[in-house]
Amino acid sequence: MPTDNENTINAPSETGPSDPSRRTLLAGSAGLGLAAAVPAATAAAQSAESPSREFAGRSAFVTGGARGIGYATAEALARAGADIMLYDVAGQIEHVKYPLATPEDLATAKANIEALGVKCIAVQGDVRDGPKQKAAMQEAAATFGSVDFVVANAGITQVGPLDIFSEAEIDVVLDVNLAGAMKTLQAAIPIMRAQNAGRIVLMSSITGRRGSEFFPVYSASKWGMIGLAKSTARLLAKSNVTCNAVCPSLVRTRLLDNDYILGTMIPDNPTIEAADAGAKQLHVMPVGLYGPEHVANTVKFICSDAAAYISGDVFDIAAGRNTEFPA
Ligand SMILES: NC(=O)c1ccc[n+]([C@@H]2O[C@H](COP(=O)([O-])OP(=O)(O)OC[C@H]3O[C@@H](n4cnc5c(N)ncnc54)[C@H](O)[C@@H]3O)[C@@H](O)[C@H]2O)c1
């Protein structure tokens, strides 16, 4: 099975998959001449794992996992026992006006996940690079024995009315947020089909549920994620794979907490406190910017056995702001 170690941050641990059902999957998946094997979700559901380690023996591939919502999601899944591959660009992308994660962020994320007692592989890669992402996911399948959960979370943003953006600035947001997620799905599809099981979560946004004058390209990319989730849910339904979209509102991460975003959105008072006050006005419930663990907990639920037949759905995490959306 092809591997892509060129930008792998540290070597994965040398011990093999601990769960026998996943060894079966691995044996059936060599070289992607994938034979249908025991569905990982079914196998794990039949085991007597304690609820707190409900994902023991399973694994997750998380894009944009070096920090923010992606890291929080990886941590929540790891706390429940899942092995993790973090796939993050961990470097700057041209036309993105705020700092993305660094290689140090990615290495720290990997160390923190490993400290939870699971395996973690960190790959420095761009979701726009389809072949690299595919090789990374195949490496995850080969190392962990399966890829049970895929979280297409990597994303970037920009602020301003549509007419101010150059072609390159439009392209980069669509390429990362939407086409990048499509490439994540293309990597996942053959693996999950062969497993006859899997959960896919696409990170959309409430700007994918309502128009946004000042986030036009970002909003379009996030509306696209919902169409992509529903289309993929149909495509993979017969393989027992679910696909859902998650729509956070305003989360306390570096995507918002940076000079470019704060300075453009709130030029009179470009502080995180002012952003928090703005978020309190936007939310119906009495909360401002909330922590990424709230998004992570929703993703964890979608990956759980309790959500086995929830597919093609959209989960708003918007502290009531979503009450204005049509059903
Ligand atoms: N923070 C919010 O308020 C909010 C709200 C709704 C939706 N979201 C979405 O949640 C997701 C995560 O956002 P966040 O708030 O954690 O932001 P963040 O900037 O803290 O994290 C994004 C991560 O994605 C990585 N990344 C960016 N481009 C990449 C690429 N081309 N390939 C691989 N990795 C890449 C970055 O390095 C970073 O680690 C994004 O899709 C974002 O649009 C965020």
Side-chain angles (χ1 to χ4, degrees), residues 174-260:
L174 296 179
D175 285 350
V176 171
N177 292 6
L178 193 50
M182 290 178 187
K183 291 169 191 174
T184 307
L185 292 175
Q186 286 184 323
I189 286 167
I191 294 171
M192 290 193 164
R193 270 205 182 117
Q195 292 172 172
N196 201 32
R199 303 285 165 83
I200 300 171
V201 181
L202 302 187
M203 198 55 64
S204 179
S205 164
I206 62 161
T207 58
R209 304 273 276 148
R210 59 193 292 274
S212 174
E213 184 181 348
F214 291 105
F215 291 86
V217 187
Y218 180 79
S219 172
S221 74
K222 296 300 184 182
W223 280 78
M225 290 291 261
I226 293 173
L228 188 58
K230 288 180 182 286
S231 300
T232 306
R234 294 186 69 85
L235 178 73
L236 297 179
K238 294 281 189 286
S239 299
N240 298 305
V241 176
T242 70
C243 185
N244 293 285
V246 169
C247 298
S249 52
L250 289 160
V251 189
R252 191 181 288 270
T253 70
R254 301 281 301 284
L255 178 135
L256 294 177
D257 189 3
N258 63 70
D259 291 345
Y260 161 67

Side-chain angles (χ1 to χ4, degrees), residues 127-216:
V127 289
R128 295 174 297 176
D129 184 341
K132 181 161 192 167
Q133 203 175 177
K134 201 165 201 165
M137 211 179 297
Q138 288 172 344
E139 182 189 348
T143 306
F144 300 143
S146 61
V147 179
D148 304 286
F149 315 132
V150 167
V151 186
N153 162 80
I156 55 174
T157 197
Q158 61 188 187
V159 198
L162 183 59
D163 45 306
I164 71 164
F165 294 121
S166 68
E167 278 189 34
E169 287 167 341
I170 291 172
D171 289 348
V172 75
V173 171
L174 296 179
D175 285 350
V176 171
N177 292 6
L178 193 50
M182 290 178 187
K183 291 169 191 174
T184 307
L185 292 175
Q186 286 184 323
I189 286 167
I191 294 171
M192 290 193 164
R193 270 205 182 117
Q195 292 172 172
N196 201 32
R199 303 285 165 83
I200 300 171
V201 181
L202 302 187
M203 198 55 64
S204 179
S205 164
I206 62 161
T207 58
R209 304 273 276 148
R210 59 193 292 274
S212 174
E213 184 181 348
F214 291 105
F215 291 86

